Amino acid sequence: MADKKVRTRYAPSPTGSMHVGNLRTALYEFLVAKSQGGDFVLRIEDTDRERYVEGAVDIIYKTLKEAGITHDEGPDIGGDHGPYVQSERKNMYLPYAQQLIDEGKAYRCFCSKERLEGLQQENVGGGYDRHCRDIPKEESDALAASGAPFVIRQKMPLDGSTTFEDAVYGSITVENSELQDQILIKTDGYPTYNFANVIDDHTMGITHVVRGSEYLSSTPKYNLLYEAFGWDIPTYIHLPLIMGKDEDGGVSKLSKRHGSTSFEDLSREGYLPEAIINYIALLGWCPKDNQEIFKMDELIKAFSIDGISKSPAIFDYDKLEWFNAEYIKAMTTEQFLETARPYLTQVLGDSGLDLSKVAAILQQRVTVLTQIPDMVAFLAEQPEYEKELFVNKKSKTTLENAPQLLRMSYDALSALKSWDHDSIHDCLISLAAENGLKNGTVMWPTRIAVSGKAVTPGGAIEILEILGKDESLARMKKGLEKLS
Ligand code: GLU
């Protein structure tokens, strides 16, 4: 297998939105392939019609696209190993099962539903008793020809054990006696999930299988199929669970009660796709040095299978927020304006304010995009505020000196001919200097009067500039009234 081209596949079942666990599987499949110059295949496993959710396939395409995980082959773009949707492959599987029957490695089982149910009741957990395993071939062929319904089961070894290697979990052994004669083909002629999965991986030339550790226990069954056919077994890479932090200080499997768990919801909540991907890449994989920020091309360069850990990964929303803030800060001002625009227009849509100036005061302060409307709403409409906001120890402002300070600032700003950052800045700084005051002593009451908020993105000068002269003076006048 050494010189085979690496081929990985992401094989989602379209059952809803893309959970961070699914996204991590897709990302690692992609990285395993791309870090070794291989191909990454998308296969849709839609044979479980009961769990099928309309629209879920589109969510998969959309999520992969937004996340920058590009497949080389798949239902939408084709390739040499199609079809890439399992339901379109449904006629491919029976001949493989027939081959195993012919080789004495599988058999038809004619047991009725009633018999199997009876067995289950008598023999809880013991499973199928291999009743049809030794029906002579002629008898089995004749029964099938007569139209008797049957499933096809694999003859599992009756003794010995099966060992497989997992790139993350190491060597795992199960006793064959614990393995049932698994069904390969159901009465309707269609394959079981496990059978289809193996046939698909083999016929698509898959060399590495990345999936959640919940599949570890099925892997010996997959291996016995590869062995029955004499096919190369792929490299297995099972990924650790993703946990969330509970309120009581413990951890449990990540779920909705920890916060948003799907890519869609996280991105709706204001996390950037690049930040989500960067964070998810580190949920179970550790780079060789301490680098944390990775663009996709850097991930491809740095990724290696031996950096994957088997200890459960903890999804930390604070850490995700840190990544998000870093990605926001690293944007160009134009990129940030475009990214922030939908959130800005929610509250500033009709304000006529210069959104690029608003964006400029936000970029270094926003950590999640959905914070933006609340942070800038005061620019559209001044909130009600208490006059106590004018009091600030560090700036040496009190309710006694604030009226006079605000009045000075109002008069100086009213006299300004041009209203731009530098003029406002020079005006207020010289006002402070001329009166022997700290800059903050002049800025604080001014900023409170124009914003009505203790904390604002940007200082007095930026806010004055954005609001414009008329609005700024009107707000300062109201502040003076409040103080009088
Ligand atoms: N369709 C399976 C799932 O969505 C994939 C299993 C596998 O990767 O083998 O969980």
Side-chain angles (χ1 to χ4, degrees):
M1 262 176 67
D3 41 17
K4 246 198 208 172
K5 182 166 193 184
V6 170
R7 287 174 59 83
T8 63
R9 87 306 193 260
Y10 174 51
S13 306
T15 55
S17 53
M18 237 169 120
H19 188 269
V20 293
N22 304 135
L23 190 58
R24 183 187 59 174
T25 302
L27 175 64
Y28 285 20
E29 298 263 17
F30 173 76
L31 292 174
V32 168
K34 295 299 149 187
S35 61
Q36 302 178 78
D39 286 337
F40 171 61
V41 177
L42 175 64
R43 177 173 82 225
I44 302 292
E45 299 201 323
D46 63 343
T47 38
D48 187 347
R49 301 314 288 185
E50 273 162 32
R51 290 177 62 219
Y52 184 84
V53 172
E54 205 59 54
V57 176
D58 292 329
I59 296 179
I60 294 166
Y61 288 137
K62 188 164 172 275
T63 305
L64 292 178
K65 186 156 186 264
E66 284 176 20
I69 301 174
T70 12
H71 48 283
D72 301 296
E73 297 168 30
D76 51 342
I77 50 175
D80 294 338
H81 300 73
Y84 292 92
V85 178
Q86 221 165 37
S87 58
E88 292 168 20
R89 301 168 70 83
K90 60 189 178 206
N91 297 322
M92 290 178 52
Y93 308 104
L94 191 55
Y96 286 101
Q98 189 58 51
Q99 178 189 333
L100 293 184
I101 295 184
D102 296 342
E103 294 171 2
K105 297 169 180 165
Y107 61 94
R108 297 188 194 92
C109 166
F110 299 93
C111 289
S112 65
K113 216 171 138 200
E114 293 70 32
R115 174 165 197 279
L116 294 175
E117 281 169 5
L119 263 186
Q120 226 170 21
Q121 271 165 10
E122 276 166 37
N123 175 16
V124 185
Y128 181 58
D129 61 358
R130 304 188 161 117
H131 183 72
C132 301
R133 183 164 161 136
D134 298 314
I135 296 180
K137 186 175 183 303
E138 298 68 38
E139 197 182 318
S140 169
D141 287 347
L143 271 171
S146 75
F150 61 87
V151 300
I152 301 176
R153 292 183 185 268
Q154 185 182 4
K155 278 189 189 168
M156 298 305 231
L158 298 175
D159 43 33
S161 58
T162 299
T163 298
F164 71 96
E165 293 300 322
D166 183 85
V168 178
Y169 288 81
S171 176
I172 296 183
T173 300
V174 293
E175 294 306 316
N176 289 334
S177 56
E178 284 169 24
L179 302 173
Q180 306 226 357
D181 282 358
Q182 59 178 335
I183 299 180
L184 308 179
I185 300 285
K186 298 180 279 189
T187 18
D188 59 9
Y190 293 130
T192 54
Y193 172 73
N194 284 346
F195 189 54
N197 188 272
V198 167
I199 303 294
D200 287 346
D201 281 347
H202 173 74
T203 53
M204 290 182 172
I206 301 303
T207 59
H208 294 67
V209 168
V210 182
R211 61 181 164 220
S213 55
E214 67 273 20
Y215 284 93
L216 263 179
S217 61
S218 308
T219 306
K221 297 189 225 163
Y222 295 157
N223 271 14
L224 287 169
L225 276 170
Y226 282 101
E227 277 167 17
F229 285 110
W231 294 338
D232 281 344
I233 292 174
T235 300
Y236 291 112
I237 303 167
H238 285 93
L239 304 180
L241 278 178
I242 301 179
M243 316 294 278
K245 288 184 186 171
D246 295 333
E247 272 167 21
D248 65 5
V251 292
S252 56
K253 195 168 176 232
L254 184 69
S255 70
K256 279 248 157 66
R257 71 201 159 89
H258 296 113
S260 292
T261 57
S262 71
F263 178 84
E264 273 176 291
D265 288 346
L266 288 171
S267 97
R268 202 177 300 126
E269 268 178 29
Y271 294 98
L272 300 167
E274 298 84 350
I276 302 175
I277 282 297
N278 193 153
Y279 181 55
I280 284 181
L282 299 171
L283 277 183
W285 169 75
C286 191
K288 297 211 163 61
D289 52 25
N290 290 327
Q291 185 176 346
E292 288 195 288
I293 301 287
F294 286 93
K295 301 269 165 56
M296 193 59 101
D297 54 341
E298 296 170 307
L299 277 177
I300 292 172
K301 280 206 198 93
F303 191 83
S304 72
I305 297 171
D306 57 15
I308 301 175
S309 153
K310 64 179 166 194
S311 39
I314 309 230
F315 195 92
D316 177 348
Y317 288 89
D318 294 335
K319 190 72 191 185
L320 174 62
E321 189 167 332
W322 178 84
F323 274 102
N324 209 47
E326 292 300 308
Y327 274 85
I328 289 174
K329 284 186 224 160
M331 285 179 165
T332 64
T333 26
E334 293 75 24
Q335 277 169 338
F336 179 68
L337 174 60
E338 284 329 301
T339 309
R341 192 183 292 281
Y343 300 91
L344 289 170
T345 49
Q346 274 175 35
V347 286
L348 303 180
D350 315 317
S351 66
L353 298 180
D354 182 341
L355 296 186
S356 64
K357 289 192 173 136
V358 181
I361 61 170
L362 282 175
Q363 187 168 359
Q364 298 304 313
R365 294 173 173 88
V366 169
T367 57
V368 181
L369 299 171
T370 42
Q371 296 163 341
I372 293 175
D374 276 351
M375 284 171 93
V376 300
F378 75 95
L379 294 169
E381 198 182 331
Q382 192 175 33
E384 278 308 320
Y385 64 100
E386 299 296 324
K387 65 178 176 196
E388 278 66 33
L389 276 191
F390 284 105
V391 181
N392 185 266
K393 212 164 167 190
K394 199 165 150 243
S395 305
K396 297 194 164 45
T397 57
T398 60
L399 282 181
E400 288 66 48
N401 68 8
Q404 194 202 346
L405 291 165
L406 189 56
R407 164 61 62 189
M408 273 167 37
S409 164
Y410 179 89
D411 290 342
L413 289 168
S414 327
L416 265 189
K417 295 268 172 314
S418 53
W419 197 262
D420 54 62
H421 185 276
D422 290 352
S423 320
I424 300 168
H425 172 269
D426 295 350
C427 165
L428 293 179
I429 297 295
S430 32
L431 182 67
E434 282 157 19
N435 291 280
L437 298 168
K438 286 182 24 172
N439 291 342
T441 311
V442 174
M443 299 293 180
W444 183 273
T446 309
R447 190 180 61 82
I448 295 299
V450 292
S451 70
K453 291 183 74 172
V455 180
T456 51
I461 299 166
E462 286 88 2
I463 296 170
L464 286 160
E465 187 197 0
I466 289 169
L467 288 175
K469 188 172 181 180
D470 292 348
E471 177 66 15
S472 296
L473 293 175
R475 289 185 180 197
M476 289 171 82
K477 207 161 165 203
K478 274 209 204 124
L480 284 167
E481 284 159 15
K482 196 184 277 281
L483 284 166
S484 68

